[in-house]
Amino acid sequence: MSSTAFDALKPSGMPRPRGNGVPPTAADSAALERTWRDPPGLVGWLSAINHKSIARRFVLTTFGFFLAGGLLALLMRLQLAVPRNTLVGPDLYNQLFSMHGTTMMFLFAVPVMQAVAGYLIPLMIGARSVAFPRMNAYAYWVFLFGGLMLYAAFLLDIGPDAGWFSYVPLAGPDYSPGKRVDFWAQLITFTELSALLEAAIIITTVFKLRAPGMTLARIPLFVWAMLVTAFMVLFSMPSVMLASTALIMDRLVGTHFYNPAQNGDVLLWQHLFWFFGHPEVYLIFLPGLGFISAIVPTFARRPIFGYTAMVLSLIATGFLAFGLWVHHMFATNLPELGKSFFTAVSMLIAIPSAVQIFCWLATLATGRLNLKTPLLFVLAFFFILVMGGLTGVMLASVPLDLQVHDTYFVVAHLHYVLLGGAVFPLVGAIYYWYPKFTGRLMSERLGQWNFWLFFIGFNVAFFPMHLLGLQGMPRRVYTYPAEMGWGTMNFIATLGAAMIAVSVLLFIVNLLRSRRHGEPAGPDPWGGGTLEWATLSPPAAANFDAIPVVHGSNPVWEEATRPPGTPSAVGGLAVDAREQLVTSVLDAQPDHRSQFPEPSIWPFLSAVATTVLFVGSIFTPWAVVWGAVPVAVATTAWFWPRRRETRTHVALEQQP
Amino acid sequence: MNRGSIARTAIDPRHPVRVDAQMLDASALPSYAFGHRSLMWWGTLGLIAIEGTVFALAIVSYFYLRSLAPRWPLNALPPELLWGTLNTVVLLASMLPNHMLKRAAEAGDLRRLRIAFLACLAFSLVFLMVRVFEFRGLNVWWDTDAYGSVVWLLLGLHTLHLITDTYDTGVLAVLMFTGPLEGRRLVDASENAQYWYFVVLSWLPIYFVIYLAPHIPQ
Amino acid sequence: MPLAAAAVLLLACMGAHASPLQDVLSPAGPQASHIRDLWHITLAVCTLVFAGVLAALVLVLWRSPRAASTTAAELRPAAARERRSGRRVGAAIAASVLLLLFLIVASVLTDRAIAQLALKDAVRIEITANQWWWEARYDDDDPSRTFTTANELHIPVGRPVLFTLKSNDVIHSLWVPNLHGKKDLIPGRTATLQLRADKPGVYRGQCAEFCGFQHAFMAFLVVAHPLADYEAWAAGQRRSAVASGDAQAVRGRELFLGGTCVMCHTVLGTTASAHRGPDLTHFASRQTLAAGTLANTPEDLQRWIRNPQQFKPGVNMPASNLPDEDIKALAAYLRSLS
């Protein structure tokens, strides 16, 4: 197959780097550590591509945005605590709720899930890294710069103020002059680019880099959840990208997508936004379900009940999520018959979630319970998410929705489902995997206090909002008259918000203290069954010295019962070069070896160039043209092969 | 029973070896592969899914706005058929050198690969030039009305893909001449061809919408 | 401890329930009534399901044996128990499906019940929403019987009302919970809403779609009268403004017509005929001013004219630097427009 011409352009090879043995020797281990770790120094830090390093930064950054969003909410609650309050005027208040929603939805809830997945998925599937490590780094930087841009705008008092879903014409050129909404729309571009790249990375990683023997029917449910989520990202995020690009164009270059005076349509925005926006909340919810499916088996000391039903439920939820969006538009003048269809689908999507809930209950009922903090946070789901899901069923009904749409009832519902379905499981997941990330356990005592304060505070803050909505209080009002009688419940809600703030503080204290003073964890403090518990805590740079060969769904639990004479691990993969085993999609049979890129500064520089292009294009459309040049230069330098690396690859080369 | 023995033997070399440990030896496996076996194929597929969705939604938006309009086009003549149809022919024809490129990459035939890359780039030059005429032949500006906006959106989105595809192809073409090369670059070339197919084939529905749909009664 | 906290919370919430104004659960017409009934049915079903899930959870927590992290995992659970779990999960799913189908049917039936409103002899009102006030034009087949008012709608008890909904700027939403669910007013589109009040009373409504700075203060009143009283009110609204004899009011009229007020407001029977702000022809007949922001009293009116930005920052009406007696005169004139 090869032609001399082709070979002539390859750098002359060196001797083939040796592969690892099984069991791997100490020399193997040391070599792998040298090969896969991040380079030192500042340039090294900017060039890092180890999936765990990127994921750590990503999680910390999203958590930082969570705290910022929470502070904004606290300010809102202080303003609303009493009627006709003058703490915050309408202009600042409109920025507060817009920033709070935008931060939580775009800068926290979706990215944190992708970040945690970026850490855990390679460990759970027996891989050394994600499929496209440099793109993974680029996605992080783009996300960070987008978030920083938004907060810079806010701190300069030009933050977006048209809400997190920015309805036109309010957000259009006529009624939102200036740059505020442009910053919002461009933030969408940043975060959507980051999320789409992460999704492609997750899909490729899960499909192609699994350890031999880990068929699709054996991957952990958390990995299934992230896989379905990633597919949903691919098909939903383009909608908001298109919507926000059209909005920027209406505002900047005079197009008329949303301008009814020139035959554009105001509702086009809502359709495009909610076609993304409804799947978006499932992008947040599904990973939460994945966390629960990871935690429950470990703390019930048995595999999950009904694995197949759980997988089918995740997939069904993913599909159905695309058929609900009009339920955000029931108050518009769309045809009534169409609305009834969306009522039906919006109610029926409860069924796959119900399947999951019943299967978890069955698992807990037939298991033996280890009531530690991670499980507590998961149990909160059964209270909070179930209540939120039931108010969701209420909202699915057109007549009921027409009364409580755009009131505090919806605010209550969305917080119950988002915190119950995603944030509580996420906090549980942090308590669960913290020992893996850091090598130490978090404090159980502080964990219990954290949990109860959060649980009680949450309900005190948000339950009264159901009643406020039924009593006629609309959303997004910076204050309200005393004679409406909403004062008492608003005050109670503010007290609850304060409780939540204290519980978050406790969480932070627990996180920080446990770094130094937590009980050392070892590889498997909880007795988990999935592959991440077979690595060191924290894992070595290469994750596994020898990629395990898997024979069931809970490899660590099943290790003792491995049939004799079957291979336990993969040997022969290079230890002095970045090499991984690529396996087949369905059955994870070994297919070929793939050489992986070394750390590089170019993803970071490309992200800087991308940021210049995106931010510049808020101010002038020509930025798209001249900004494209540095982006092209940086991405070309990123791609361009290096002689030394190519030499190593050639040494390992074997034609198919 | 040796709970956690994977950890003990595979990761922590300080502990004793399992007597019946056996190895799955990967050293003889190929170091690159084409088509759906490669990681690049899946990355490209992800990109195609994303961009395909964007195009589909833009097309849906076109028909949505049309369904609300009193007449369509609103205030303009329909786009001139000449340039769009000409470019459709050029794009379809470009699939020939593109296919040649893919075959040459999979065969490792550098000479044919270089010729195919240059041929593809020649076609790029032609279709980008014709694309300029297409924009001028639209008979409407993007800021005239919603019809103008959505037609420019469709043509503009596709043009963005033509430009990035041309650039990708150009970078790879240079690499084919300068090196350093390795087997993986053949896979990159093959996947570039895949993406080219998408850019050409995705044009067909867009061509239909921009040029032919205005002639269909509302 | 959490149970006690929950009980306190619930009691506090229930005790804090105040006025039936703008209350979804205090219907005064058939639409809101049907919705309230659906609410009760749905609430009952959902509470049942919630209680069931919680009971199952509590049972599980109470009865399952405990374990530690070092307890060996049960890799092959007993087949008989697994089958039993399967049956129970299956039954729970079946019950959920049935309950959801029931709720879907209930919702669709309620939808149809709400829409069934005989529109014979309906009062027809065209509402145009603006940032941040409501213009209402009462339509009639006889054009000489149409009239325009703002922010306060009067309707006859027992007669259907057909709203036509438009917007001049951004999306707003008309919502008077005592009577019906909300409907958005979308620029470029015309929506309709039909309802009926079956009890006389004053019902408060509020804009329910974020529309900018003063979304919080874009309220309106719906006053339902017996038919005869409504006809009297409507007849009064059709008349042009009657000139008042009071000296202060006459001075106020001069200031009004000679100043900037006429750039935005209409008073029928005078030269003021702009439409940027509410029609003031019968201003004194309204209970509130500035779309429900303030009570329509002389003091509040004077303060409003002096500086609207103090009460509704961002509103389109500018502050006035007229001397105090002029402000009082203007207020007296406006108070004479009954």
Side-chain angles (χ1 to χ4, degrees), chain C residues 1-337:
Chain C
M1 197 259 283
L3 232 46
V8 168
L9 178 64
L10 217 51
L11 284 171
C13 288
M14 280 153 51
H17 180 95
S19 64
L21 256 191
Q22 222 164 296
D23 186 359
V24 171
L25 300 178
S26 302
Q31 283 69 36
S33 256
H34 287 305
I35 298 176
R36 195 255 333 247
D37 294 340
L38 180 64
W39 165 255
H40 284 151
I41 296 171
T42 311
L43 182 65
V45 170
C46 291
T47 308
L48 203 71
V49 170
F50 186 62
V53 171
L54 276 190
L57 185 68
V58 167
L59 201 67
V60 162
L61 290 176
W62 183 40
R63 284 190 15 182
S64 288
R66 298 295 185 253
S69 306
T70 47
T71 311
E74 177 77 72
L75 275 177
R76 263 172 284 280
R81 279 197 96 192
E82 293 294 87
R83 275 198 302 273
R84 193 175 62 182
S85 293
R87 282 194 298 272
R88 287 177 175 171
V89 167
I93 296 171
S96 308
V97 172
L98 285 173
L99 287 171
L100 281 171
L101 287 175
F102 169 72
L103 289 177
I104 293 174
V105 169
S107 172
V108 172
L109 289 177
T110 307
D111 238 342
R112 292 174 54 182
I114 290 173
Q116 261 151 18
L117 186 67
L119 288 175
K120 188 166 113 62
D121 294 331
V123 173
R124 287 175 292 149
I125 310 178
E126 181 178 294
I127 308 254
T128 304
N130 299 276
Q131 282 176 319
W132 295 278
W133 59 280
W134 307 90
E135 174 180 284
R137 198 187 72 202
Y138 281 67
D139 284 335
D140 198 297
D141 288 330
D142 176 355
S144 65
R145 287 167 60 84
T146 65
F147 61 90
T148 303
T149 181
N151 299 328
E152 190 172 294
L153 309 170
H154 291 242
I155 60 176
V157 170
R159 281 282 183 81
V161 180
L162 176 61
F163 291 104
T164 306
L165 304 172
K166 299 186 176 167
S167 169
N168 259 345
D169 40 39
V170 300
I171 304 180
H172 300 270
S173 194
L174 187 86
W175 185 40
V176 52
N178 296 110
L179 294 178
H180 199 354
K182 58 186 64 72
K183 201 66 179 258
D184 286 353
L185 294 86
I186 301 171
R189 285 169 175 255
T190 303
T192 59
L193 182 70
Q194 47 209 55
L195 53 81
R196 193 179 75 213
D198 284 344
K199 285 195 287 229
V202 178
Y203 307 113
R204 191 178 188 271
Q206 195 168 348
C207 176
E209 180 60 61
F210 178 62
C211 54
F213 284 135
Q214 286 303 328
H215 168 63
F217 287 112
M218 188 172 160
F220 59 97
L221 292 179
V222 177
V223 183
H225 309 264
L227 184 59
D229 295 341
Y230 165 75
E231 295 289 6
W233 173 84
Q237 295 289 315
R238 285 187 196 106
R239 283 195 295 270
S240 301
V242 178
S244 163
D246 175 60
Q248 209 184 23
V250 169
R251 166 103 184 100
R253 185 169 183 275
E254 267 171 53
L255 287 164
F256 184 89
L257 293 177
T260 51
C261 311
V262 298
M263 305 214 40
C264 299
H265 293 286
T266 296
V267 176
L268 268 188
T270 70
T271 52
S273 58
H275 296 281
R276 283 212 199 84
D279 185 308
L280 299 178
T281 312
H282 299 283
F283 173 78
S285 69
R286 306 206 273 259
Q287 296 181 32
T288 64
L289 63 95
T293 309
L294 294 167
N296 193 355
T297 62
E299 301 74 35
D300 276 347
L301 179 57
Q302 284 165 31
R303 271 180 268 165
W304 171 257
I305 299 174
R306 160 75 60 212
N307 187 7
Q309 303 295 327
Q310 187 188 357
F311 302 98
K312 214 167 155 176
V315 77
N316 292 323
M317 179 163 156
S320 166
N321 50 11
L322 290 174
D324 272 341
E325 320 82 65
D326 283 355
I327 303 262
K328 285 202 175 96
L330 272 173
Y333 170 61
L334 289 168
R335 299 277 310 159
S336 77
L337 293 173

Side-chain angles (χ1 to χ4, degrees), chain A residues 88-109:
Chain A
V88 167
D91 185 19
L92 179 59
Y93 190 87
N94 295 346
Q95 287 186 68
L96 286 178
F97 76 72
S98 305
M99 287 293 296
H100 169 75
T102 303
T103 301
M104 291 307 195
M105 295 301 278
F106 293 110
L107 294 174
F108 168 67

Side-chain angles (χ1 to χ4, degrees), chain A residues 84 175 265 270 301-303 331 333 364 368-370 383 397 402-403 405-407 467 470-472 478 525 557, chain C residues 13 17 22-24 64-67 69 71-74 82 107 169 175 177 182 184 189 208-209 214 293:
Chain A
R84 300 254 183 187
Y175 300 100
D265 187 40
Q270 294 190 25
R301 311 309 298 150
R302 57 152 291 166
N333 71 331
L364 292 168
R368 285 162 296 159
L369 304 186
N370 185 8
F383 186 100
S397 151
L402 289 181
Q403 281 285 30
H405 168 68
D406 251 320
T407 69
L467 302 171
L470 288 168
Q471 286 176 23
Y478 73 100
W557 286 345
Chain C
C13 288
H17 180 95
Q22 222 164 296
D23 186 359
V24 171
S64 288
R66 298 295 185 253
S69 306
T71 311
E74 177 77 72
E82 293 294 87
S107 172
D169 40 39
W175 185 40
K182 58 186 64 72
D184 286 353
R189 285 169 175 255
E209 180 60 61
Q214 286 303 328
T293 309

Side-chain angles (χ1 to χ4, degrees), chain A residues 519-552:
Chain A
E519 195 191 311
D524 192 5
W526 307 114
T530 41
L531 272 181
E532 76 271 26
W533 302 111
T535 62
L536 296 172
S537 296
N543 297 344
F544 302 88
D545 284 340
I547 305 295
V549 175
V550 154
H551 304 276

